[in-house]
Structure formats: C-alpha cells, structure tokens
C-alpha cells in the first residue's frame, strides 16, 4: 500500500464512513419501498454509485478487501439496476450484511488490526450466488417498436422500458420535428405536455 | 471528465484543437460546423445518449472519416456491442487511466486512417 500521508488517510476514512452510513440509509429506504411493493430505480442507482465510489477510493488507498467487496457488490447492483436480478429478501439481507462488513473493514484499516478476510470471502460467495441473469422473455414483441429506436437504447434504458411495460404503463409514439437551435427547450415543453398522459 | 479528456488530448505530441460540448444536443449543434477527426462521447448524457449521437455521426456523409470513441461508466457488454455495431471505433469503460485513453484515441485514429480517412 502506498503512503498517501496521514491527512489524506483521515479524509479517506471520513469520506468512506460517510458513504457507508448513506448506504445504510438508502438500504433502509429500499427495504421500505420493497415492502410497499414499489420499485425505486433512482435509489438503486444511488446505491450503485456509492459502491462504485467506495471501490475507487479503496483502490486509491490500497484498501484491498474493501475494494474486493465493492467490486463484487457493484456486479450485483448492476444486475439489480438492469432487472437481471430481482430485489428479493435474500438480496436485501446480503446488501445489509455488506454495509455491516464495510464498517468492520474500515475499523480494521483504521486500527491496523486483523482484517476480517474470512468474512469477506463468505460474503463474496453469497453475493456471487445472488448475481446472475434471469433471461426473461422480451416483452417488446407485442409492440410495433422501431428497431432503429431499440438499437440506440442503452442497456439501462432498455431495462426501464421493459419495467414500464411490465408495470402496464402505456406506450405512445410521438412524431415531432424540432429546430436544433431550440430543441432543448422544445423537448422540455413536450415532456411537460406528455407527462400527465403517463 | 471533460477536463480530464481535454488535458489528455492536449498532452499529446501533436497540437490538437479541442471543442467541448456540454450535452448531446450541444454536440449535434457543433458537428455541422466542421470536419472532426475524432468525437469522444460518454454513453450517458443529460439529453440524448451517446449511441444516438454516434448514429447521427455515422449517418452524416460529412463525418464519414470521423473516428468515434464511446466512454461509459458501466462496463456493459451490451452497450459496448451496440456501440461497435453502430460504428464506434472503440469503447472504453470508466474508470480509465490517461494512458488507456491515449491508447484508445490512437487506436480510433489509426483505424480511421487505415480506412482511408483524413485523421
């Protein structure tokens, strides 16, 4: 591990601690949303980004176990984000365990004590078991979707479209022509007009 | 990220002129103003995504020789496959080092140059 200096290490601990605490709060909110049968893609994205940041910070400061855990969690959260893995009670428990383990890992890093590497290995196994693809059939066949449109959707946008169709939301096709000079404003106006229709 | 990309581009041995667009629409407004050797686009932007911008570049005959490098926060195989299928010259997932970016840029320009482009 490099020696980035005491002050930088202090900042690392302070920032990672803050992120881990935020993760705990976001997971509680995710749990509440799931109990209420609501999906919250923004929250899952926030959690994904937080873990991504933790991975980056851990890599920078040579905190290898935090980095390993974050890498595995990132894979699981990416699958959750893209709807490849459903948000089950088991997945939530795994996520809560990860937050708890982050705290232990940070403590060990700070005090220079024995790193809980066995706990990381055990949790990584759990995370890998939860990660995978459900290979659900495409819901697009029943709609006349322009293949040119589907070709330029990112994986995440396609997932959101699938989710909206699965939730029974209506799809509309709008044909509009904008001037390139005013397209930003015109599109915002169109969105405001279209939003009340679902 | 734009500042980082600009710095890497300007660090090279050849002098380059860099123009920045703050969004996909901004890029669409910039593109007709000149001939570009290289477009570097993020896949996630506030308005259109990088794949839509890429398609626009590839459909414009005036940008036939323009190389396109797509960068992304997600190392999604599907996004990478789509970008390459739409005509991207390279796909680079974040985080990446300045060296990885330099190599990807060189690869893009070499590919276009080899294809008879003006880069």
């Amino acid at each position: 591990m490099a020696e980035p200096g005491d002050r930088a290490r202090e900042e690392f601990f302070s920032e990672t601690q803050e992120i881990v605490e935020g993760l705990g709060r976001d997971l509680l909110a995710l749990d509440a949303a799931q109990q209420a049968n609501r999906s919250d893609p923004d929250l899952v994205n926030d959690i994904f980004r937080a873990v991504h940041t933790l991975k980056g910070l851990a890599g920078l400061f040579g905190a290898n176990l935090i980095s390993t855990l974050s890498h595995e969690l990132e894979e699981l959260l990416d699958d959750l984000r893209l709807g490849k893995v459903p948000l089950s009670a088991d997945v939530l428990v795994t996520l809560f365990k990860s937050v708890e383990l982050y705290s232990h890992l940070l403590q060990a890093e700070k005090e220079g004590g024995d790193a809980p590497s066995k706990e990381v290995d055990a949790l990584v196994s759990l995370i890998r078991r939860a990660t995978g693809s459900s290979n659900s059939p495409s819901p697009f066949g029943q709609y006349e979707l322009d293949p040119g449109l589907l070709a330029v959707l990112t994986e995440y946008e396609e997932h959101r479209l699938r989710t909206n169709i699965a939730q029974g939301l209506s799809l509309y096709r709008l044909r509009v022509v904008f001037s390139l000079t005013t397209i930003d404003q015109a599109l915002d106006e169109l969105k405001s007009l279209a939003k009340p229709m679902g | 990220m734009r500042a980082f990309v600009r710095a890497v581009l300007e660090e090279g041995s050849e002098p380059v002129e860099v123009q920045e667009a703050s969004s996909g629409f901004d890029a669409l407004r910039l593109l007709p103003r000149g001939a570009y050797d290289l477009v570097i686009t993020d896949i996630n932007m506030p308005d259109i995504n990088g794949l839509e911008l890429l398609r626009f570049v590839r459909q414009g005959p005036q940008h036939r020789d323009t190389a396109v490098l797509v960068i992304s926060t997600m190392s999604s195989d599907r996004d990478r496959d789509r970008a390459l299928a739409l005509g991207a010259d390279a796909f680079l997932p974040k985080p990446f080092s300045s060296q990885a970016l330099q190599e990807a840029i060189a690869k893009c320009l070499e590919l276009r140059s080899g294809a008879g482009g003006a880069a």
Side-chain angles (χ1 to χ4, degrees):
Chain A
M1 178 176 164
E3 297 293 340
D6 289 347
R7 194 162 165 191
R9 272 183 73 76
E10 278 305 310
E11 279 175 19
F12 163 70
F13 287 125
S14 158
E15 195 170 343
T16 44
Q17 186 66 44
E18 203 174 303
I19 293 171
V20 171
E21 283 169 9
L23 263 180
R25 285 192 297 273
D26 283 349
L27 283 179
L28 285 172
L30 195 63
D31 188 20
Q34 196 218 22
Q35 308 247 0
N37 219 10
R38 275 187 296 111
S39 69
D40 194 335
D42 289 341
L43 201 49
V44 178
N45 272 333
D46 287 348
I47 295 170
F48 175 86
R49 276 193 292 269
V51 169
H52 183 72
T53 307
L54 276 179
K55 187 176 85 168
L57 284 169
L60 206 61
F61 282 84
N64 295 331
L65 286 173
I66 295 179
S67 187
T68 302
L69 176 61
S70 304
H71 174 73
E72 298 290 339
L73 265 181
E74 203 180 32
E75 298 274 313
L76 172 59
L77 288 162
D78 200 29
D79 280 355
L80 266 181
R81 217 173 61 85
L82 297 170
K84 292 178 183 173
V85 167
L87 182 62
S88 63
D90 283 349
V91 168
L92 262 172
V93 168
T94 303
L95 293 174
F96 276 114
K97 280 184 176 170
S98 303
V99 171
E100 200 180 331
L101 187 51
Y102 270 133
S103 298
H104 294 164
L105 286 167
L106 274 175
Q107 194 70 22
E109 277 285 334
K110 206 184 264 187
E111 294 171 356
D114 287 343
S117 52
K118 280 186 184 162
E119 284 87 335
V120 172
D121 289 345
L123 196 55
V124 164
S125 299
L126 263 184
I127 293 170
R128 286 187 180 164
R129 224 173 293 155
T131 309
S133 171
S134 66
N135 290 322
S136 54
S138 169
F140 299 148
Q142 55 183 305
Y143 295 93
E144 287 177 26
L145 291 176
D146 178 356
L149 169 86
L150 291 177
V152 292
L153 290 184
T154 64
E155 191 173 10
Y156 180 65
E157 288 168 343
E158 188 178 312
H159 160 61
R160 294 296 308 139
L161 181 59
R162 278 174 197 273
T163 307
N164 286 341
I165 290 174
Q167 287 179 345
L169 296 180
S170 302
L171 291 184
Y172 297 91
R173 180 185 294 164
L174 305 175
R175 282 188 187 278
V176 287
V177 177
F178 294 126
S179 156
L180 205 46
T181 49
T182 54
I183 190 168
D184 312 64
Q185 191 189 343
L187 195 62
D188 281 346
E189 285 169 11
L190 181 67
K191 280 184 194 164
S192 311
L193 281 172
K195 204 157 188 175
M197 296 172 208
Chain B
M1 177 49 68
R2 290 209 306 275
F4 172 69
V5 172
R6 172 185 278 276
V8 169
L9 285 166
E10 290 177 343
E11 263 172 21
S13 51
E14 300 285 326
V16 292
E17 187 190 336
V18 182
Q19 291 185 352
E20 288 182 30
S22 60
S23 67
F25 290 151
D26 241 11
L28 292 182
R29 285 187 279 264
L30 268 180
L31 278 166
R33 294 189 201 165
Y36 294 89
D37 291 325
L38 174 68
V39 169
I40 301 177
T41 176
D42 203 318
I43 211 157
N44 291 309
M45 293 192 282
D47 36 40
I48 58 170
N49 68 41
L51 299 178
E52 291 171 284
L53 177 65
L54 166 61
R55 183 164 68 179
F56 181 87
V57 172
R58 285 287 163 260
Q59 284 175 345
Q62 70 275 35
H63 306 305
R64 202 190 55 189
D65 298 326
T66 304
V68 180
L69 168 61
V70 177
I71 58 179
S72 170
T73 316
M74 309 301 157
S75 54
S76 158
D77 288 345
R78 201 181 303 177
D79 287 350
R80 186 200 59 216
D81 292 348
R82 281 188 184 171
L84 297 177
L86 285 163
D89 296 279
F91 181 92
L92 187 62
K94 295 183 205 169
F96 46 76
S97 63
S98 55
Q99 191 190 344
L101 179 58
Q102 276 163 350
E103 286 169 3
I105 290 168
K107 180 186 162 193
C108 287
L109 294 174
E110 202 181 302
L111 279 173
R112 284 287 138 190
S113 175

